[in-house]
Amino acid sequence: MTSLHLPTVWASALTAATIFFVAAISRWLRKPKSFSVPMVGADSGDTNALKARYVQEADQLLREGYEKFKDAIFQVITPDGPRVFLPRKFAHDLKDYNRHEASGMKALADRHIGHYTTIDHESDIMLGAIKIDLNRNLGTFVGDVEHEVAYCFETQFPPCDDWTPIDLHDKLLRVVAQASARIFVGYPMCRNEEWLDCSTKFALDVMTGGEKLKQWHPYLRPIAQYFVPEMTRIRGDHQRALELLLPELNRRLAEPANPDASPHNDMIQWMQERARKTGDKSFNNKELANLQMLTATAAIHTTRLAIIHALYDLAARPEYVEPLRNEILGVTKDSKGILQKQHLTQMKMLDSFMKESQRHSPPSVATYQRKAMIPITLSNGFHIPAGTIVQCNTNILDETPASWGDPHAFDGFRFYKLRNRSPDDVNKFQFASPTYDSMQFGFGRDACPGRFFASNQIKIILAYILSHYDIKFQDEAEERPKNFMFEVNVLADPTKLVLFKKISR
Ligand code: HEM
């Protein structure tokens, strides 16, 4: 017996020793390049402690940078080396460069070592389908999404006849994924369990796999990727997505051609039409499946997080429930509770609450990040060499304009009041309006193209919850749970449960 197992034991020991040895060399080989700007926390002199602080409390480091250096550019030590943070005003300089000169997508891809995690894939077809087709059709599928949301709550949520604890991270992942899939891949694919599983897990594999692979020196990553399980899964996810989509694509192919109108109005259709019109020869079913995964990755987790933040804010501030519920009932009263596009536009209090929630809990404290694809010189003379990633310090609440009121208070109807100030302000303060003072969706021509869709999805889901459930924390006096940071990303506390109870009618 023992002799039979010896080779296995030796092989495992050798593999472990090799991994340890290669990882040690990997750390030793890494020589971070510094920039000639002041560094936050330099006086502490403890580089490892600074790196750990960046991972767990980047928001505080950026605040320290803001307080110490105010209008000046500074750098922060991170596990990936020093990173340059620009005061928010430099977003004005950067927005004049096009996406091939200063790229948000490339910055994101680099962050998650997109060459390996497969997200370094910029596609005009995908961007066009989101920026143009999705936004143009927003009004037409409010009812479809609402229907899918209702179906999801009926099938995925417990009855909630009495107060029932709900893990929002888990349940809302399903609701958002399915409601988004209704528009991305259409019905009945949006109810395909395997598709939902594949399209939601892919993003998690990209995040986790990327972080694990980043521990290795770039020279070693081509080999190290085979030691990271998530990297293997990512390769499998693409194949699985294609296999799952194929029956749907073949079913559509077999349908009789309709020269007047396609029976489908979804992202599959828009992507295929764009490829046909542009004659893009590289577009095939495999590429379509990849683009669907990328779209889901950009859409689902961001939207889910915004809803969780809003529900935490609502559970901690129950005084907002009644006015919001009244607004929803009021705007839908003539349509027997069935939502239409104009109802979403009319939900101005809800829109304001969402925006205030996002102001306090943005997706990231540095939402404006760009990779310089060419050398760039900022208006103060600071030179950004090609290949460098810079980001703006976009979430310093003290920089809020004085006319917005107390910058640190949570005022759920802050933007509702601002919108009512004058006709010019009606659009400026909407949830989906990125401005210099409100960069949660980025800024300029490359600001998030999915923000209008996200705004609708969030409203539909929150309106459903407010109309069907009461919600509260276990301990009613409980404060809003503190957010967690992972580097510059702001995450909602994943341990917190919210109690739901069906409203009796
Ligand atoms: C609450 C939900 C969402 C938030 C907070 C969010 C946030 C962001 C941010 C901050 C950016 C970077 C913008 C910049 O650097 O200027 C971005 C880019 C992007 N988002 Fe979103 N997003 C959300 C939902 C969505 C949805 C639903 C989709 C797809 C339907 C989407 C697709 C994209 C794409 C494709 C980009 C890259 C745009 C480009 O580089 O031109 N996002 N998003």
Side-chain angles (χ1 to χ4, degrees), residues 46-127:
D46 184 345
T47 312
N48 285 334
L50 275 176
K51 286 183 188 172
R53 278 196 72 198
Y54 180 76
V55 175
Q56 289 156 18
E57 45 187 62
D59 54 339
Q60 290 181 33
L61 280 175
L62 296 197
R63 173 137 206 114
E64 278 172 39
Y66 167 77
E67 278 167 2
K68 204 160 173 191
F69 307 118
K70 277 284 184 289
D71 267 358
I73 297 170
F74 60 83
Q75 58 184 323
V76 175
I77 288 281
T78 81
D80 298 336
R83 266 189 200 164
V84 174
F85 284 85
L86 310 174
R88 189 174 61 127
K89 64 181 180 187
F90 288 108
H92 280 310
D93 290 19
L94 286 172
K95 81 175 174 23
D96 294 336
Y97 291 89
N98 69 38
R99 58 186 307 110
H100 305 293
E101 297 167 334
S103 169
M105 269 206 176
K106 286 282 174 204
L108 189 77
D110 272 24
R111 283 282 150 77
H112 300 288
I113 45 176
H115 169 67
Y116 294 100
T117 55
T118 69
I119 63 162
D120 190 2
H121 186 71
E122 199 160 329
S123 157
D124 287 343
I125 289 183
M126 177 180 129
L127 281 177

Coordinates of all heavy atoms in Angstrom, one line a residue, residues 46-127:
D46 N 6.3 51.5 6.3 CA 6.0 50.1 6.3 C 5.2 49.7 5.0 O 4.0 49.9 5.0 CB 5.2 49.7 7.6 CG 5.0 48.2 7.6 OD1 5.2 47.5 6.6 OD2 4.6 47.7 8.7
T47 N 5.9 49.3 4.0 CA 5.3 49.1 2.7 C 4.2 48.0 2.8 O 3.2 48.2 2.2 CB 6.4 48.7 1.7 OG1 7.5 49.6 1.8 CG2 5.9 48.7 0.3
N48 N 4.5 47.0 3.5 CA 3.5 45.9 3.6 C 2.2 46.3 4.2 O 1.1 46.0 3.8 CB 4.1 44.6 4.3 CG 5.1 43.9 3.3 OD1 4.9 44.1 2.1 ND2 6.0 43.3 3.9
A49 N 2.4 47.1 5.3 CA 1.2 47.6 6.0 C 0.4 48.6 5.1 O -0.8 48.5 5.0 CB 1.6 48.4 7.3
L50 N 1.1 49.3 4.3 CA 0.4 50.2 3.3 C -0.3 49.5 2.3 O -1.5 49.8 1.9 CB 1.5 51.2 2.6 CG 1.8 52.4 3.4 CD1 2.9 53.2 2.6 CD2 0.6 53.3 3.6
K51 N 0.3 48.4 1.8 CA -0.4 47.6 0.8 C -1.7 47.0 1.4 O -2.7 47.0 0.8 CB 0.5 46.4 0.3 CG 1.6 46.9 -0.6 CD 2.4 45.6 -1.0 CE 3.7 46.1 -1.8 NZ 4.6 45.0 -2.1
A52 N -1.5 46.5 2.6 CA -2.7 45.9 3.3 C -3.8 46.9 3.5 O -5.0 46.7 3.3 CB -2.3 45.3 4.6
R53 N -3.4 48.1 3.9 CA -4.4 49.2 4.1 C -5.1 49.5 2.8 O -6.3 49.8 2.7 CB -3.7 50.5 4.6 CG -3.4 50.5 6.1 CD -3.1 51.9 6.5 NE -4.3 52.8 6.5 CZ -4.2 54.1 6.5 NH1 -3.1 54.7 6.6 NH2 -5.3 54.8 6.5
Y54 N -4.3 49.5 1.6 CA -4.9 49.8 0.3 C -6.0 48.8 0.0 O -7.1 49.1 -0.4 CB -3.9 49.8 -0.8 CG -4.5 50.1 -2.1 CD1 -4.9 51.4 -2.4 CD2 -4.8 49.1 -3.0 CE1 -5.5 51.7 -3.6 CE2 -5.4 49.4 -4.2 CZ -5.8 50.7 -4.5 OH -6.4 50.9 -5.7
V55 N -5.7 47.5 0.4 CA -6.7 46.5 0.1 C -8.0 46.7 0.9 O -9.1 46.6 0.4 CB -6.1 45.1 0.3 CG1 -7.2 44.0 0.1 CG2 -5.0 44.8 -0.6
Q56 N -7.8 47.0 2.2 CA -8.9 47.0 3.1 C -9.6 48.4 3.3 O -10.7 48.5 3.7 CB -8.5 46.5 4.5 CG -8.2 45.0 4.5 CD -7.3 44.6 5.6 OE1 -7.1 45.3 6.6 NE2 -6.7 43.4 5.4
E57 N -8.8 49.4 3.1 CA -9.3 50.8 3.4 C -8.8 51.8 2.5 O -8.3 52.9 2.9 CB -9.1 51.2 4.9 CG -7.7 50.9 5.4 CD -7.6 51.2 6.9 OE1 -8.2 50.5 7.7 OE2 -6.8 52.1 7.2
A58 N -8.9 51.5 1.2 CA -8.5 52.5 0.2 C -9.2 53.8 0.3 O -8.6 54.9 0.1 CB -8.6 51.9 -1.2
D59 N -10.5 53.7 0.7 CA -11.2 55.0 0.9 C -10.6 55.9 1.9 O -10.5 57.1 1.7 CB -12.7 54.7 1.3 CG -12.8 53.8 2.6 OD1 -11.8 53.1 2.9 OD2 -13.9 53.8 3.2
Q60 N -10.1 55.4 3.0 CA -9.4 56.2 4.0 C -8.1 56.8 3.5 O -7.7 57.9 3.7 CB -9.2 55.4 5.3 CG -10.5 55.2 6.0 CD -10.3 54.4 7.3 OE1 -9.3 54.6 8.0 NE2 -11.3 53.6 7.6
L61 N -7.3 55.9 2.7 CA -6.1 56.4 2.2 C -6.3 57.6 1.2 O -5.6 58.5 1.2 CB -5.4 55.3 1.4 CG -4.6 54.3 2.3 CD1 -4.1 53.1 1.4 CD2 -3.4 54.9 3.0
L62 N -7.4 57.4 0.4 CA -7.6 58.5 -0.6 C -8.1 59.7 0.1 O -7.8 60.9 -0.3 CB -8.7 58.0 -1.6 CG -8.3 56.9 -2.5 CD1 -9.2 56.8 -3.7 CD2 -6.9 57.0 -3.0
R63 N -8.8 59.5 1.2 CA -9.2 60.7 2.0 C -8.0 61.4 2.6 O -7.9 62.6 2.6 CB -10.2 60.2 3.1 CG -10.6 61.2 4.0 CD -12.0 61.3 4.5 NE -12.1 62.8 4.9 CZ -12.8 63.6 4.2 NH1 -13.6 63.3 3.3 NH2 -12.8 64.9 4.6
E64 N -7.1 60.6 3.1 CA -5.9 61.2 3.7 C -5.1 61.9 2.6 O -4.6 63.0 2.8 CB -4.9 60.1 4.2 CG -5.3 59.6 5.6 CD -4.5 58.4 6.1 OE1 -3.3 58.3 5.7 OE2 -5.1 57.5 6.7
G65 N -5.0 61.3 1.4 CA -4.4 62.0 0.3 C -5.0 63.3 0.0 O -4.3 64.3 -0.2
Y66 N -6.4 63.3 0.0 CA -7.1 64.6 -0.3 C -6.8 65.6 0.8 O -6.5 66.8 0.4 CB -8.6 64.2 -0.4 CG -9.5 65.4 -0.4 CD1 -9.7 66.2 -1.5 CD2 -10.2 65.8 0.8 CE1 -10.5 67.3 -1.5 CE2 -11.0 66.9 0.8 CZ -11.2 67.7 -0.4 OH -12.0 68.8 -0.3
E67 N -6.9 65.2 2.0 CA -6.7 66.2 3.1 C -5.2 66.7 3.1 O -5.0 67.9 3.4 CB -7.0 65.5 4.5 CG -8.5 65.6 4.7 CD -8.9 64.7 5.9 OE1 -8.1 64.1 6.5 OE2 -10.2 64.6 6.0
K68 N -4.3 65.9 2.8 CA -2.9 66.3 2.9 C -2.4 67.1 1.7 O -1.7 68.1 1.8 CB -2.0 65.0 3.1 CG -0.7 65.3 3.7 CD -0.1 64.0 4.2 CE 1.3 64.2 4.7 NZ 2.0 63.0 5.0
F69 N -2.9 66.6 0.5 CA -2.3 67.2 -0.7 C -3.3 68.0 -1.5 O -3.0 68.6 -2.6 CB -1.7 66.1 -1.6 CG -0.8 65.2 -0.9 CD1 -1.0 63.8 -0.7 CD2 0.4 65.7 -0.4 CE1 -0.1 63.0 0.0 CE2 1.3 64.9 0.3 CZ 1.0 63.6 0.5
K70 N -4.6 68.0 -1.0 CA -5.7 68.7 -1.7 C -5.7 68.7 -3.2 O -6.1 67.7 -3.8 CB -5.7 70.2 -1.2 CG -6.3 70.4 0.2 CD -7.9 70.3 0.0 CE -8.6 70.6 1.3 NZ -8.5 69.6 2.4
D71 N -5.2 69.7 -3.8 CA -5.3 69.8 -5.3 C -4.2 69.1 -6.0 O -4.1 69.3 -7.2 CB -5.4 71.3 -5.7 CG -6.8 71.8 -5.7 OD1 -7.7 70.9 -5.5 OD2 -7.0 73.0 -6.0
A72 N -3.3 68.4 -5.3 CA -2.2 67.9 -6.0 C -2.3 66.4 -6.3 O -3.1 65.7 -5.6 CB -0.9 68.1 -5.1
I73 N -1.6 65.9 -7.2 CA -1.6 64.5 -7.6 C -0.8 63.7 -6.5 O 0.2 64.2 -6.1 CB -1.0 64.3 -9.0 CG1 -1.8 65.1 -10.0 CG2 -0.8 62.9 -9.4 CD1 -1.2 65.2 -11.4
F74 N -1.2 62.6 -6.1 CA -0.4 61.8 -5.2 C -0.5 60.3 -5.6 O -1.2 59.9 -6.5 CB -1.0 62.0 -3.8 CG -2.4 61.5 -3.5 CD1 -2.7 60.2 -3.3 CD2 -3.4 62.5 -3.5 CE1 -4.1 59.8 -3.1 CE2 -4.8 62.1 -3.3 CZ -5.1 60.8 -3.1
Q75 N 0.4 59.5 -5.0 CA 0.4 58.1 -5.3 C 0.2 57.3 -4.0 O 0.4 57.8 -2.9 CB 1.7 57.7 -5.9 CG 2.9 58.0 -5.2 CD 4.2 57.6 -6.0 OE1 4.2 56.6 -6.7 NE2 5.2 58.4 -5.8
V76 N -0.3 56.1 -4.2 CA -0.6 55.2 -3.1 C 0.1 53.8 -3.4 O 0.1 53.4 -4.5 CB -2.1 54.9 -3.0 CG1 -2.4 53.9 -1.9 CG2 -2.8 56.2 -2.7
I77 N 0.7 53.2 -2.4 CA 1.4 51.9 -2.6 C 0.3 50.9 -2.6 O -0.6 50.8 -1.6 CB 2.4 51.6 -1.5 CG1 3.6 52.5 -1.6 CG2 2.8 50.1 -1.4 CD1 4.6 52.0 -2.7
T78 N 0.2 50.0 -3.6 CA -0.8 49.0 -3.6 C -0.1 47.6 -3.9 O 1.1 47.6 -4.2 CB -1.8 49.2 -4.8 OG1 -1.1 48.7 -6.0 CG2 -2.1 50.7 -5.0
P79 N -0.8 46.5 -3.7 CA -0.1 45.2 -3.9 C 0.4 45.1 -5.4 O 1.3 44.3 -5.7 CB -1.2 44.2 -3.7 CG -2.1 44.9 -2.8 CD -2.1 46.3 -3.1
D80 N -0.1 45.9 -6.3 CA 0.4 45.9 -7.7 C 1.4 46.9 -8.0 O 1.8 47.2 -9.1 CB -0.8 46.2 -8.7 CG -1.9 45.2 -8.6 OD1 -1.6 44.0 -8.2 OD2 -3.0 45.5 -8.9
G81 N 1.9 47.6 -6.9 CA 2.9 48.7 -7.1 C 2.2 50.0 -6.9 O 1.0 50.1 -6.6
P82 N 3.0 51.1 -7.0 CA 2.4 52.4 -6.7 C 1.3 52.8 -7.8 O 1.5 52.5 -9.0 CB 3.6 53.4 -6.9 CG 4.8 52.5 -6.9 CD 4.4 51.2 -7.4
R83 N 0.3 53.4 -7.3 CA -0.8 53.9 -8.3 C -1.0 55.4 -8.1 O -1.0 55.9 -7.0 CB -2.1 53.2 -7.9 CG -2.3 52.0 -8.7 CD -3.6 51.4 -8.6 NE -3.6 50.1 -9.0 CZ -4.5 49.2 -8.7 NH1 -5.5 49.5 -8.0 NH2 -4.3 47.9 -9.2
V84 N -1.2 56.0 -9.3 CA -1.3 57.5 -9.2 C -2.8 57.9 -9.1 O -3.6 57.4 -9.9 CB -0.8 58.1 -10.6 CG1 -1.1 59.6 -10.6 CG2 0.7 57.9 -10.6
F85 N -3.1 58.7 -8.2 CA -4.5 59.2 -8.1 C -4.5 60.7 -8.4 O -3.7 61.5 -7.8 CB -5.0 59.0 -6.6 CG -5.4 57.5 -6.4 CD1 -4.5 56.6 -6.1 CD2 -6.7 57.1 -6.7 CE1 -4.8 55.3 -6.0 CE2 -7.1 55.8 -6.6 CZ -6.1 54.9 -6.2
L86 N -5.5 61.1 -9.2 CA -5.6 62.5 -9.7 C -6.7 63.1 -8.9 O -7.8 62.5 -8.7 CB -5.9 62.6 -11.2 CG -5.0 61.8 -12.1 CD1 -5.6 61.9 -13.5 CD2 -3.6 62.3 -12.1
P87 N -6.6 64.4 -8.5 CA -7.7 65.1 -8.0 C -8.8 65.1 -9.1 O -8.5 65.1 -10.3 CB -7.2 66.6 -7.8 CG -5.8 66.4 -7.6 CD -5.4 65.3 -8.5
R88 N -10.1 65.1 -8.6 CA -11.2 65.0 -9.6 C -11.1 65.9 -10.7 O -11.6 65.6 -11.9 CB -12.4 65.2 -8.7 CG -13.7 64.9 -9.3 CD -14.8 65.1 -8.2 NE -14.8 66.5 -7.7 CZ -15.9 67.2 -7.7 NH1 -17.1 66.7 -8.1 NH2 -15.9 68.4 -7.2
K89 N -10.6 67.1 -10.5 CA -10.7 68.1 -11.6 C -10.0 67.7 -12.9 O -10.3 68.1 -14.0 CB -10.0 69.5 -11.1 CG -8.5 69.4 -10.8 CD -8.0 70.7 -10.3 CE -6.5 70.5 -10.0 NZ -5.9 71.6 -9.4
F90 N -9.0 66.7 -12.8 CA -8.3 66.3 -14.0 C -9.2 65.4 -14.9 O -8.8 65.1 -16.0 CB -7.0 65.6 -13.6 CG -6.0 66.5 -13.1 CD1 -5.6 66.6 -11.8 CD2 -5.4 67.4 -14.0 CE1 -4.7 67.5 -11.3 CE2 -4.5 68.4 -13.5 CZ -4.1 68.4 -12.2
A91 N -10.3 65.0 -14.4 CA -11.3 64.3 -15.3 C -11.6 65.2 -16.5 O -11.8 64.7 -17.6 CB -12.5 63.9 -14.5
H92 N -11.6 66.5 -16.2 CA -11.9 67.4 -17.4 C -10.8 67.3 -18.4 O -11.1 67.3 -19.6 CB -11.9 68.9 -16.8 CG -13.2 69.3 -16.2 ND1 -14.4 69.0 -16.8 CD2 -13.4 69.8 -15.0 CE1 -15.4 69.5 -16.0 NE2 -14.8 69.9 -14.9
D93 N -9.5 67.2 -18.0 CA -8.4 67.0 -19.0 C -8.6 65.7 -19.7 O -8.4 65.7 -21.0 CB -7.1 67.0 -18.2 CG -6.7 68.3 -17.6 OD1 -7.6 69.1 -17.4 OD2 -5.5 68.5 -17.3
L94 N -8.8 64.7 -19.0 CA -8.8 63.3 -19.6 C -10.0 63.1 -20.5 O -9.9 62.3 -21.5 CB -8.8 62.2 -18.5 CG -7.4 62.1 -17.8 CD1 -7.6 61.1 -16.6 CD2 -6.4 61.6 -18.8
K95 N -11.1 63.7 -20.3 CA -12.3 63.4 -21.1 C -12.1 64.0 -22.5 O -12.9 63.6 -23.4 CB -13.6 63.9 -20.4 CG -13.9 65.4 -20.5 CD -15.3 65.6 -19.9 CE -15.8 67.0 -19.8 NZ -15.2 68.0 -20.7
D96 N -11.1 64.8 -22.8 CA -10.9 65.2 -24.1 C -10.2 64.2 -25.0 O -10.1 64.3 -26.2 CB -10.1 66.5 -24.1 CG -10.8 67.7 -23.5 OD1 -12.1 67.6 -23.6 OD2 -10.2 68.6 -23.0
Y97 N -9.7 63.2 -24.4 CA -9.0 62.1 -25.1 C -10.0 61.0 -25.5 O -10.9 60.7 -24.7 CB -7.9 61.5 -24.3 CG -6.7 62.4 -24.1 CD1 -6.7 63.3 -23.0 CD2 -5.7 62.5 -25.0 CE1 -5.7 64.2 -22.8 CE2 -4.6 63.4 -24.9 CZ -4.6 64.2 -23.8 OH -3.6 65.1 -23.6
N98 N -9.9 60.5 -26.7 CA -10.9 59.4 -27.1 C -10.5 58.1 -26.5 O -9.4 57.9 -25.9 CB -11.1 59.3 -28.6 CG -9.8 58.8 -29.3 OD1 -9.2 57.9 -28.8 ND2 -9.5 59.4 -30.4
R99 N -11.3 57.0 -26.6 CA -11.1 55.8 -25.9 C -9.8 55.0 -26.4 O -9.4 54.1 -25.8 CB -12.3 54.9 -26.1 CG -12.7 54.6 -27.5 CD -14.1 53.8 -27.6 NE -14.1 52.6 -26.7 CZ -14.8 52.5 -25.6 NH1 -15.5 53.4 -25.2 NH2 -14.7 51.4 -24.9
H100 N -9.3 55.4 -27.6 CA -8.1 54.8 -28.1 C -6.9 55.5 -27.5 O -5.7 55.0 -27.7 CB -8.1 54.8 -29.6 CG -9.3 54.1 -30.2 ND1 -9.5 52.8 -30.0 CD2 -10.3 54.6 -30.8 CE1 -10.7 52.5 -30.5 NE2 -11.2 53.6 -31.1
E101 N -7.1 56.6 -26.9 CA -6.0 57.4 -26.3 C -5.9 57.2 -24.8 O -4.9 57.1 -24.2 CB -6.1 58.9 -26.7 CG -6.0 59.1 -28.2 CD -6.5 60.5 -28.6 OE1 -7.3 61.1 -27.9 OE2 -6.0 61.0 -29.7
A102 N -7.1 57.3 -24.2 CA -7.2 57.1 -22.7 C -8.4 56.1 -22.5 O -9.5 56.5 -22.6 CB -7.5 58.4 -22.0
S103 N -8.0 54.9 -22.2 CA -9.1 53.9 -22.2 C -9.5 53.4 -20.8 O -8.7 52.9 -20.1 CB -8.5 52.7 -23.1 OG -9.4 51.6 -22.9
G104 N -10.8 53.5 -20.6 CA -11.3 53.0 -19.3 C -11.4 51.5 -19.4 O -11.1 50.8 -18.4
M105 N -11.7 50.9 -20.5 CA -11.8 49.4 -20.6 C -10.5 48.8 -20.5 O -10.4 47.7 -19.9 CB -12.4 49.1 -22.0 CG -13.9 49.0 -21.9 SD -14.4 47.9 -23.2 CE -16.2 47.8 -22.9
K106 N -9.4 49.4 -21.1 CA -8.1 48.8 -20.9 C -7.6 48.9 -19.5 O -6.9 48.0 -19.0 CB -7.1 49.6 -21.9 CG -7.3 49.2 -23.3 CD -6.7 47.9 -23.7 CE -7.0 47.5 -25.1 NZ -6.9 46.1 -25.3
A107 N -8.0 50.0 -18.8 CA -7.6 50.1 -17.4 C -8.2 49.0 -16.6 O -7.5 48.3 -15.8 CB -8.0 51.5 -16.9
L108 N -9.5 48.7 -16.9 CA -10.2 47.7 -16.1 C -9.6 46.3 -16.5 O -9.4 45.5 -15.6 CB -11.7 47.7 -16.5 CG -12.6 46.8 -15.7 CD1 -12.9 47.4 -14.4 CD2 -13.9 46.6 -16.4
A109 N -9.3 46.1 -17.8 CA -8.8 44.8 -18.2 C -7.4 44.6 -17.5 O -7.1 43.5 -17.1 CB -8.6 44.8 -19.7
D110 N -6.6 45.7 -17.5 CA -5.3 45.5 -16.8 C -5.4 45.1 -15.4 O -4.7 44.3 -14.8 CB -4.5 46.8 -16.9 CG -3.7 46.8 -18.2 OD1 -4.1 46.1 -19.2 OD2 -2.7 47.6 -18.3
R111 N -6.4 45.8 -14.7 CA -6.6 45.6 -13.3 C -6.9 44.1 -13.0 O -6.5 43.5 -12.0 CB -7.8 46.3 -12.8 CG -7.6 47.8 -12.6 CD -6.9 47.9 -11.2 NE -6.0 49.1 -11.2 CZ -6.5 50.4 -11.1 NH1 -7.8 50.6 -10.9 NH2 -5.7 51.4 -11.2
H112 N -7.6 43.5 -13.9 CA -8.0 42.1 -13.7 C -7.2 41.2 -14.7 O -7.8 40.2 -15.1 CB -9.5 41.9 -13.9 CG -10.3 42.8 -13.0 ND1 -10.4 42.4 -11.7 CD2 -11.0 43.9 -13.2 CE1 -11.2 43.3 -11.0 NE2 -11.6 44.2 -11.9
I113 N -6.0 41.6 -15.0 CA -5.2 40.9 -16.0 C -6.0 40.2 -17.1 O -6.0 39.0 -17.2 CB -4.1 40.0 -15.3 CG1 -4.7 39.1 -14.2 CG2 -3.0 40.7 -14.7 CD1 -3.7 38.1 -13.6
G114 N -6.7 41.1 -17.8 CA -7.6 40.7 -18.8 C -7.1 39.8 -19.9 O -7.9 39.0 -20.5
H115 N -5.8 39.8 -20.1 CA -5.2 38.9 -21.1 C -5.5 37.5 -20.7 O -5.7 36.6 -21.6 CB -3.7 39.2 -21.2 CG -3.0 38.2 -22.0 ND1 -3.2 38.1 -23.4 CD2 -2.1 37.3 -21.7 CE1 -2.4 37.1 -23.8 NE2 -1.7 36.6 -22.8
Y116 N -5.4 37.2 -19.4 CA -5.6 35.8 -18.9 C -7.1 35.6 -18.6 O -7.6 34.5 -18.8 CB -4.8 35.6 -17.7 CG -3.3 35.6 -18.0 CD1 -2.5 36.7 -17.7 CD2 -2.7 34.5 -18.6 CE1 -1.2 36.7 -18.0 CE2 -1.4 34.5 -18.9 CZ -0.6 35.6 -18.6 OH 0.7 35.6 -19.0
T117 N -7.7 36.6 -17.9 CA -9.1 36.4 -17.5 C -10.1 36.6 -18.6 O -11.3 36.5 -18.4 CB -9.5 37.4 -16.3 OG1 -9.2 38.7 -16.7 CG2 -8.7 37.0 -15.1
T118 N -9.6 36.9 -19.8 CA -10.3 37.0 -21.1 C -11.2 38.3 -21.2 O -12.0 38.4 -22.1 CB -11.3 35.8 -21.4 OG1 -12.3 35.8 -20.4 CG2 -10.5 34.5 -21.3
I119 N -11.1 39.2 -20.2 CA -11.9 40.4 -20.4 C -11.3 41.5 -21.2 O -11.8 42.6 -21.3 CB -12.4 40.9 -19.0 CG1 -11.3 41.4 -18.1 CG2 -13.3 39.9 -18.3 CD1 -11.7 42.3 -17.0
D120 N -10.0 41.3 -21.6 CA -9.4 42.3 -22.4 C -9.9 42.1 -23.9 O -9.2 41.6 -24.7 CB -7.8 42.1 -22.4 CG -7.1 43.3 -23.0 OD1 -7.9 44.2 -23.5 OD2 -5.9 43.3 -23.1
H121 N -11.1 42.5 -24.1 CA -11.8 42.2 -25.3 C -12.7 43.4 -25.6 O -13.9 43.4 -25.1 CB -12.5 40.9 -25.2 CG -13.1 40.4 -26.5 ND1 -12.4 39.9 -27.5 CD2 -14.4 40.4 -26.9 CE1 -13.2 39.6 -28.5 NE2 -14.4 39.9 -28.2
E122 N -12.3 44.3 -26.4 CA -13.1 45.5 -26.7 C -13.9 45.2 -28.0 O -13.2 44.8 -29.0 CB -12.3 46.7 -26.8 CG -13.1 48.0 -26.6 CD -12.3 49.2 -26.2 OE1 -11.3 49.0 -25.5 OE2 -12.7 50.3 -26.7
S123 N -15.2 45.4 -28.0 CA -15.9 45.1 -29.2 C -16.9 46.2 -29.5 O -17.7 46.6 -28.7 CB -16.7 43.8 -28.9 OG -17.8 43.7 -29.8
D124 N -16.8 46.7 -30.8 CA -17.7 47.7 -31.2 C -19.1 47.2 -31.3 O -20.1 47.9 -31.1 CB -17.3 48.3 -32.6 CG -16.0 49.1 -32.5 OD1 -15.7 49.6 -31.3 OD2 -15.3 49.3 -33.5
I125 N -19.2 45.9 -31.6 CA -20.5 45.3 -31.7 C -21.2 45.3 -30.3 O -22.4 45.7 -30.2 CB -20.4 43.8 -32.2 CG1 -20.0 43.9 -33.7 CG2 -21.7 43.0 -32.0 CD1 -20.0 42.6 -34.4
M126 N -20.5 45.0 -29.3 CA -21.1 45.0 -27.9 C -21.4 46.4 -27.5 O -22.5 46.7 -27.0 CB -20.1 44.3 -26.9 CG -20.6 44.4 -25.5 SD -19.4 43.6 -24.4 CE -19.2 44.8 -23.2
L127 N -20.4 47.3 -27.7 CA -20.7 48.7 -27.3 C -21.9 49.3 -28.0 O -22.7 50.0 -27.4 CB -19.4 49.5 -27.5 CG -18.3 49.4 -26.4 CD1 -17.1 50.2 -26.8 CD2 -18.9 49.8 -25.0

